[in-house]
Amino acid sequence: MLDDGVPEPLAEPPPDQVEHVAALIDALLSDERSPSAVTKFYDPTTTYAGDTFLGLAPNEPYAIGTADLLAVTLLDVNPGVAAARALLPGGKLANQTSALLARIPLGVAFWEATDDDLAWSGSLWSLLRNVDGVGRTIAGKLMARKRPELILIVDDVVHGRLGCLTGTYWTTFRRVLQDPSRRARIASLAPHVPALRVLDTLMWMHWRKHGLS
């Protein structure tokens, strides 16, 4: 965040990067294995965590609580002791975290987000990622819990496959998802799940170490 309280703006991506990412997403959407992979991830009878990550209660919109820390552990990460002490109510970063969450709107779709929406999100992401034991991936997963329609998870799997310029992942995907036909194809894979979470799932299920069987 800048000294005057204005968030640092996110960088705009080069056009060829947007085209490259769009082509990769379209390839995943055309893969005949994608519907069953997404269905499996949100099926509560499987050992995949998608349904529980989204639904575990309580989920207070303007604070990080114990249910949020537990939810992200279901995605195979562990925020750890330092994060719990800093972010839970009464922690040294709890008030700052809540103030930033208040700046990030509820119910706004990622592709409709303003520059300010993403910039304030970037400020919170920077705060969280610098907590001992959190880092880029856990910060994204915590924020995705709080704003499932707005925050894209860029974990090591996505980062390693796409290799976008630093600070341009969110702005790249915002452009990719401004195509309504692409959004419709994503949403059709799991109509009951926010489209951004479906996209996260699609990328991770295909690009994780062992890929799809």
Side-chain angles (χ1 to χ4, degrees):
M1 189 183 303
L2 303 178
D3 291 340
D4 60 1
V6 177
E8 192 78 48
L10 299 182
E12 284 298 317
D16 61 336
Q17 179 172 288
V18 176
E19 293 169 5
H20 172 68
V21 171
L24 288 174
I25 300 308
D26 288 344
L28 297 183
L29 290 169
S30 297
D31 192 308
E32 63 182 10
R33 300 170 297 172
S34 292
S36 62
V38 172
T39 297
K40 184 185 300 183
F41 193 79
Y42 290 97
D43 182 349
T45 68
T46 71
T47 57
Y48 288 101
D51 183 71
T52 305
F53 172 75
L54 291 174
L56 190 65
N59 188 351
E60 299 295 333
Y62 302 114
I64 291 177
T66 53
D68 301 312
L69 297 183
L70 174 58
V72 298
T73 67
L74 303 179
L75 300 182
D76 297 324
V77 294
N78 184 1
V81 174
R85 289 173 176 162
L87 300 175
L88 292 179
K92 64 181 180 180
L93 295 178
N95 288 342
Q96 191 174 354
T97 298
S98 292
L100 287 170
L101 281 169
R103 296 275 194 172
I104 304 169
L106 291 164
V108 171
F110 184 56
W111 50 90
E112 296 175 348
T114 67
D115 289 347
D116 279 350
D117 294 336
L118 293 188
W120 284 116
S121 300
S123 294
L124 179 55
W125 182 84
S126 295
L127 175 71
L128 294 175
R129 75 180 296 268
N130 288 316
V131 174
D132 184 33
V134 175
R136 176 184 65 217
T137 296
I138 296 178
K141 290 179 178 181
L142 278 170
M143 291 182 65
R145 238 304 266 196
K146 309 314 295 181
R147 298 292 184 272
E149 297 90 356
L150 183 62
I151 302 300
L152 179 79
I153 298 174
V154 181
D155 60 10
D156 290 341
V157 170
V158 173
H159 178 77
R161 177 57 66 102
L162 298 181
C164 293
L165 296 177
T166 300
T168 66
Y169 281 92
W170 289 354
T171 50
T172 296
F173 275 95
R174 180 174 61 174
R175 289 198 183 185
V176 168
L177 292 177
Q178 283 170 345
D179 182 327
S181 63
R182 185 175 292 119
R183 294 200 308 268
R185 294 176 71 193
I186 293 169
S188 70
L189 295 174
H192 63 293
V193 176
L196 212 55
R197 302 283 67 83
V198 178
L199 179 58
D200 288 336
T201 301
L202 191 62
M203 293 188 291
W204 185 78
M205 291 290 276
H206 277 278
W207 296 343
R208 61 192 170 137
K209 183 176 180 181
H210 300 295
L212 294 180
S213 56

